[in-house]
Amino acid sequence: MPNVRINELDRHVGQPVTVRGWVATTRFSGKIAFVVLRDGSGYLQTVFSKREVSEATWLRVSALTQEASIAVTGDVRADARAPGGHELTASEVEILGASPEFPISPKEHGSAFLFEHRHLWLRSRRQVAIAKVRNEVVQGIRDFFYDRDFVLVDTPILTGSIGEEAGNLFSTDYFDLGKAYLAQTGQLYVEAAAAALGKVYCFGPTFRAEKSKTRRHLTEFWMVEPEVAWNDSDANMTLQEEFISAVVARVLDRRKEELKELERDTAPLERVVGPFPRISYTDAVAKLQGLGSDITWGKDLGGEDETLLAKEYDRPVFVFNYPKEVKAFYMKENPADPRTVLNNDCLAPEGYGEIIGGSQREDDHDRLHARILAQGLDPEAYRWYLDLRKYGTFVHSGFGLGLERTIAWISGIPHIREAIAFPRQIHRLYP
Ligand code: 4AD
Ligand code: MG
């Protein structure tokens, strides 16, 4: 008997097969048992009739519990009304692994309990749907850049220089060389690679010892960071626009089932097509003040300001040219207003806040050197980075998109901790 995955059953209609998986639910109606099986590729209702199977088989079916692993043999029946379009008329069941008293029952559980059981919770319909959206977003990202001739460059996780800011670094002892920091960003390294390859990106885990316990922060999150030679800040925003639109369109196209499982209203996602509105930081502050925020010029936008501002638009919005003081050392000073830098954040709609931070990079050696000193960073650690401005400096820009924030937004889930299989937060290291 062939072992078949649930999403391959359409090739076996009318034939006997064996399907292996885990018991999602069982229901008995007189002499009929309905056992819904889950194998990761889909869900399948298997139907046992007491009259058709042996007494031993019926006893095994009667004793099935949630999440037991089983192999069911039977005939595939096409059924348009069944989830997945098939049903299995079962003749035999083998119990591969018992599951006495699975801790997560269909009743409601608190989120603390669920995260304590994250290793088991991953099996739920909702978590399976989120995992598939994540997979689609990741593949959409890789394909987008590959198709546009970007070269993937993997950047180090152990680093000797601070990438973003000193405030939230993880560090570890590194042999005789003092401290190594876990990368907050791969950006500085893709800048070096951009001078070698023109269009590059890195995509990997990044680390921030965030003290903030918000719905938008993890201590370990994934970031994709393209870097492009000769792009200025405007071209950088255009690339972001095309990128986000392409990723959202791909998920809408290929993950309908999962978005439905997540009860995601897809209308706001359908509107995610460029051009996105662009508003300067200065105009954004004025607008926010008009909307009742107490923000003043010079302060960074807080999470609430981002939500308030994004509500004014029906698609993602760019806020550009922030004050130098609230942004990282590597951003290029704005020649038209040196109090500001040539950067942008991209704010997602529906209250999801900043999903991208990007900028044109300071390409002038002396200015960059001065900025490094002004921020109290050690220029010796940035000697290699300054070299890029010494040997063939070039206009270049790039950005970082937070993967989990993007997945949370597209999936419509309230907290980013569900957007990664095993979230790392200030108070969570288990499982
Ligand atoms: O704005 P950030 O700090 O930008 C950088 O790291 C730049 N080096 C990127 C670049 O230009 N190459 O972070 C970029 C994005 C944010 O917009 C957000 O989506 C995400 O990374 N992010 C986080 N996601 C989850 N948890 C956190 N603690 C995050 N911090 C940033
Ligand atoms: Mg940022």
Side-chain angles (χ1 to χ4, degrees):
M1 206 67 63
N3 285 308
V4 176
R5 296 249 294 168
I6 291 171
N7 67 354
E8 293 170 348
L9 286 171
D10 50 355
R11 287 184 236 149
H12 298 269
V13 173
Q15 294 167 13
V17 297
T18 298
V19 181
R20 292 169 297 182
W22 292 262
V23 174
T25 57
T26 54
R27 183 167 63 85
F28 290 85
S29 172
K31 294 180 170 25
I32 309 283
F34 301 94
V35 178
V36 174
L37 196 61
R38 172 184 65 70
D39 75 346
S41 80
Y43 299 84
L44 172 68
Q45 175 156 283
T46 66
V47 185
F48 294 82
S49 161
K50 189 177 179 186
R51 265 184 296 151
E52 308 286 330
V53 301
S54 72
E55 199 167 324
T57 300
W58 185 254
L59 278 176
R60 281 197 292 278
V61 173
S62 308
L64 287 178
T65 54
Q66 190 191 345
E67 291 303 324
S69 51
I70 58 175
V72 183
T73 299
D75 291 324
V76 181
R77 213 165 61 72
D79 180 345
R81 290 161 312 163
H86 304 95
E87 228 180 49
L88 200 72
T89 307
S91 52
E92 191 52 271
V93 61
E94 189 187 343
I95 297 173
L96 305 173
S99 172
E101 288 166 59
F102 190 69
I104 304 174
S105 61
K107 72 167 202 293
E108 290 279 308
H109 293 284
S111 70
F113 179 89
L114 290 171
F115 278 101
E116 199 66 16
H117 294 86
R118 183 69 174 159
H119 50 299
L120 302 177
W121 186 29
L122 289 179
R123 304 179 188 190
S124 76
R125 280 181 185 266
R126 183 181 152 84
Q127 298 307 318
V128 165
I130 295 171
K132 292 197 176 183
V133 170
R134 182 178 172 112
N135 185 45
E136 199 63 52
V137 170
V138 168
Q139 198 60 41
I141 289 170
R142 295 193 192 288
D143 287 349
F144 179 90
F145 289 117
Y146 188 87
D147 291 346
R148 280 165 183 73
D149 208 25
F150 282 66
V151 177
L152 172 69
V153 175
D154 298 314
T155 52
I157 284 171
L158 291 167
T159 69
S161 44
I162 300 167
E164 285 295 318
E165 50 167 318
N168 57 13
L169 283 169
F170 284 110
S171 66
T172 180
D173 293 330
Y174 198 78
F175 306 104
D176 295 334
L177 298 179
K179 292 277 179 223
Y181 306 115
L182 297 189
Q184 296 173 312
T185 169
Q187 178 199 319
L188 309 197
Y189 297 97
V190 282
E191 284 187 56
L197 295 154
K199 298 197 281 185
V200 296
Y201 74 104
C202 62
F203 192 6
T206 46
F207 305 87
R208 299 195 190 175
E210 300 275 8
K211 307 284 184 313
S212 43
K213 293 193 227 168
T214 78
R215 299 185 294 126
R216 298 173 182 176
H217 289 92
L218 296 168
T219 55
E220 177 177 322
F221 63 98
W222 281 60
M223 183 157 52
V224 54
E225 297 180 88
E227 192 71 30
V228 184
W230 318 119
N231 263 11
D232 62 10
S233 185
D234 278 333
N236 195 33
M237 283 188 266
T238 302
L239 179 63
Q240 292 166 46
E241 201 164 82
E242 290 169 2
F243 173 56
I244 292 176
S245 309
V247 169
V248 169
R250 174 158 173 159
V251 176
L252 282 172
D253 181 38
R254 302 200 195 191
R255 292 294 150 198
K256 291 191 179 66
E257 285 291 312
E258 287 75 14
L259 294 175
K260 206 166 136 205
E261 176 65 45
L262 294 166
E263 297 175 340
R264 178 62 162 115
D265 174 9
T266 53
L269 296 177
E270 310 275 358
R271 286 193 293 269
V272 180
V273 280
F276 299 165
R278 300 181 184 189
I279 178 171
S280 73
Y281 166 85
T282 301
D283 289 347
V285 167
K287 191 162 189 138
L288 281 165
Q289 286 168 344
L291 292 167
S293 165
D294 55 12
I295 190 170
T296 51
W297 200 100
K299 295 235 167 63
D300 204 356
L301 266 57
E304 282 173 30
D305 290 320
E306 289 177 356
T307 301
L308 196 60
L309 185 64
K311 273 210 184 103
E312 297 293 296
Y313 305 93
D314 70 345
R315 62 197 73 201
V317 53
F318 292 121
V319 183
F320 60 89
N321 297 4
Y322 281 63
K324 197 189 284 177
E325 300 311 319
V326 301
K327 289 293 174 187
F329 67 94
Y330 51 71
M331 296 184 180
K332 187 167 180 61
E333 192 177 280
N334 178 7
D337 179 359
R339 298 175 306 159
T340 64
V341 284
L342 296 177
N343 81 312
N344 77 272
D345 279 356
C346 180
L347 311 181
E350 301 173 86
Y352 285 90
E354 177 199 333
I355 50 170
I356 283 184
S359 61
Q360 189 171 330
R361 319 307 189 185
E362 185 53 77
D363 47 27
D364 180 87
H365 177 279
D366 294 349
R367 260 181 235 253
L368 182 61
H369 189 254
R371 287 278 284 154
I372 287 170
L373 287 177
Q375 300 228 349
L377 299 167
D378 173 13
E380 189 46 32
Y382 295 93
R383 199 158 31 92
W384 67 270
Y385 187 63
L386 286 160
D387 268 355
L388 308 177
R389 281 74 181 165
K390 246 162 92 179
Y391 303 105
T393 195
F394 59 120
V395 169
H396 60 293
S397 300
F399 62 88
L401 171 109
L403 182 64
E404 288 76 18
R405 286 193 194 173
T406 305
I407 292 162
W409 163 49
I410 294 177
S411 303
I413 56 179
H415 199 302
I416 71 167
R417 63 193 171 181
E418 280 184 63
I420 186 164
F422 295 99
R424 293 292 168 249
Q425 292 173 280
I426 169 169
H427 57 281
R428 180 157 301 286
L429 204 49
Y430 174 95

